[in-house]
Amino acid sequence: MSILVTGGAGYIGSHTCIELLNAGHEIVVLDNFLNSKPESLKRISEITGKNFKFYDVDLLDYSAIESVFLENGIVAVIHFAGLKAVGESVSMPLRYYNNNIVGTLNLCRVMEKYGVYNLVFSSSATVYGFQEQVPLSEDLPLQATNPYGRTKLMIEEILQDLYASNQNWSIALLRYFNPVGAHCSGQIGEDPNGIPNNLVPYITQVAVGTLPELKVFGGDYQTHDGTGVRDYIHVVDLAEGHLKALVNVMGNSGIKAYNLGTGIGYSVLDMIRAFEQVIGRPIPYRIVNRRPGDVSISFADASKANEELNWNANKGLDEMCRDSWRWQVNYPNGFEKEYEKISAVNQL
Ligand code: NAD
Ligand code: UD1
């Protein structure tokens, strides 16, 4: 009786694998390292003291997914695997539609063939697009503003159709707000490729000296200090939300969406100040023009997840900053980049 975790080597997947193993679940991890490193899997084992089966499989390969189901007693799937960079999705829409949508279709086709109907899917608060009001609740009309967001919205709709066709399915659509932080061991965390697009890895890379200064995108929003407001959630709280969602889908059938956020909004300047407190020195920043496509304020109404999944985010801003910073200081170049550099030099 195993839980299949697709994308389990990635940022949120790896933290969720730790929580699943610590809770005594048997897991099987599938990933093709499109945006992650094998080292993260090694660290999951080291942190938990537990081993698990891993498959280097691309979700675009139907028969390879089928082998995973044939060789293991899979009872549920937590589906993280997908590409997630908004800007890249605008320049490479076909890559995003192919990877995220075809990958999910293949997975669901295999699940249906083998009678595995329990699915927890990584959606995103991006499906709310631009809204007039906050907090954002699950029943708002949805809209996507870029190809990445459209893949999430389309997959939500595909999964709705799947449930309508067969009520054995039990599906949780988890709409994450802004995941930040890292495991308290400081051994795993977010490892963005190249220059980070997201605020927190950018701040920590400025603080560690990899980047010269933070550009704050917009100082003229209708917020308490003029900078954009978001609902930052600790990745370990998010991981625990998946365990709660798993219990829920395994005991029911249906399809339901849940916001996973704290319900609290912090501005960019709030985040800079919080990191300065933790790090003990100023973070150089400059206010520049707004980033196209950014909303002014986004934070969750997380009451549905609280009531129906018995889940709450417990970790505050200080812990998010401390844990992000510990990971950044321990591994300024993320997973394995030093080894890559060394082997590149050796080949010269
Ligand atoms: P991540 O890139 O760190 O992890 C995704 C993993 O999926 C990677 O390990 C990657 O190698 C793997 N993958 C991608 N395509 C694959 C394929 N075709 N076959 C097999 N493996 C594949 O991203 P993350 O931050 O951990 O996000 C996990 C999920 O949550 C994604 O679906 C993402 O869209 C969603 N999400 C993330 C955020 C965020 O801010 N991190 C916010 C909302 C939603
Ligand atoms: C982004 C994605 C969203 C995705 C989410 C989580 C965009 C437009 N949206 O959301 O689809 O679900 O990440 O992965 O990319 N900021 C700066 N300077 C920076 C970086 C960010 O000021 O260098 C500001 C932004 O303007 C925003 C806040 O920080 O106000 C958070 O930005 P970011 O971390 O990129 O997340 P989102 O824009 O919320």
Side-chain angles (χ1 to χ4, degrees), residues 6-14 30-37 40 55-61 79-85 98-100 103 121-126 148 151-152 174-180 190-191 198 238 242:
T6 77
Y11 173 46
I12 307 169
S14 58
L30 175 164
D31 204 301
N32 65 350
F33 304 119
L34 197 55
N35 193 39
S36 55
K37 299 283 182 331
S40 75
Y55 288 84
D56 184 349
V57 159
D58 189 331
L59 284 182
L60 297 180
D61 184 346
H79 175 33
F80 293 103
L83 290 167
K84 63 167 183 178
N98 193 42
N99 192 69
N100 293 3
F121 171 63
S122 297
S123 187
S124 168
T126 194
Y148 163 70
T151 67
K152 292 294 174 195
L174 302 185
R175 296 179 184 155
Y176 314 153
F177 280 70
N178 289 58
V180 297
E190 188 171 10
D191 182 15
N198 296 121
L238 196 59
H242 290 74

Side-chain angles (χ1 to χ4, degrees), residues 75-291:
V75 291
V77 179
I78 305 183
H79 175 33
F80 293 103
L83 290 167
K84 63 167 183 178
V86 173
E88 190 183 65
S89 79
V90 174
S91 56
M92 298 181 186
L94 295 178
R95 182 168 189 242
Y96 272 67
Y97 289 124
N98 193 42
N99 192 69
N100 293 3
I101 294 183
V102 178
T104 303
L105 290 177
N106 283 341
L107 175 68
C108 291
R109 285 169 59 212
V110 176
M111 287 177 72
E112 190 158 61
K113 180 164 175 187
Y114 290 88
V116 180
Y117 295 111
N118 298 313
L119 175 64
V120 177
F121 171 63
S122 297
S123 187
S124 168
T126 194
V127 298
Y128 294 115
F130 293 96
Q131 299 284 341
E132 296 289 317
Q133 67 186 70
V134 277
L136 301 167
S137 58
E138 289 85 351
D139 49 10
L140 285 168
L142 305 179
Q143 45 167 300
T145 56
N146 56 66
Y148 163 70
R150 258 185 287 285
T151 67
K152 292 294 174 195
L153 196 47
M154 285 177 186
I155 294 169
E156 285 205 7
E157 287 169 348
I158 289 166
L159 296 177
Q160 296 278 2
D161 288 341
L162 203 51
Y163 176 70
S165 75
N166 178 348
Q167 278 83 53
N168 285 321
W169 280 94
S170 183
I171 302 170
L173 310 169
L174 302 185
R175 296 179 184 155
Y176 314 153
F177 280 70
N178 289 58
V180 297
H183 190 259
C184 60
S185 63
Q187 295 302 305
I188 61 165
E190 188 171 10
D191 182 15
N193 270 330
I195 296 178
N197 295 308
N198 296 121
L199 179 66
V200 165
Y202 207 107
I203 290 180
T204 57
Q205 291 202 13
V206 168
V208 87
T210 310
L211 295 167
E213 66 170 5
L214 172 73
K215 293 183 192 66
V216 175
F217 297 139
D220 57 351
Y221 285 110
Q222 294 291 314
T223 61
H224 62 274
D225 59 19
T227 65
V229 167
R230 296 290 183 276
D231 185 337
Y232 298 93
I233 173 169
H234 197 294
V235 65
V236 173
D237 276 335
L238 196 59
E240 281 166 3
H242 290 74
L243 270 69
K244 296 284 173 96
L246 186 66
V247 170
N248 189 277
V249 295
M250 291 189 68
N252 295 289
S253 70
I255 177 161
K256 285 193 175 172
Y258 296 100
N259 285 340
L260 296 187
T262 62
I264 302 169
Y266 290 108
S267 72
V268 178
L269 294 182
D270 293 335
M271 296 302 285
I272 295 173
R273 302 294 171 238
F275 271 101
E276 287 177 338
Q277 285 285 320
V278 163
I279 296 164
R281 56 175 184 272
I283 291 166
Y285 73 87
R286 184 162 49 97
I287 296 184
V288 299
N289 288 338
R290 293 180 179 195
R291 179 171 66 179

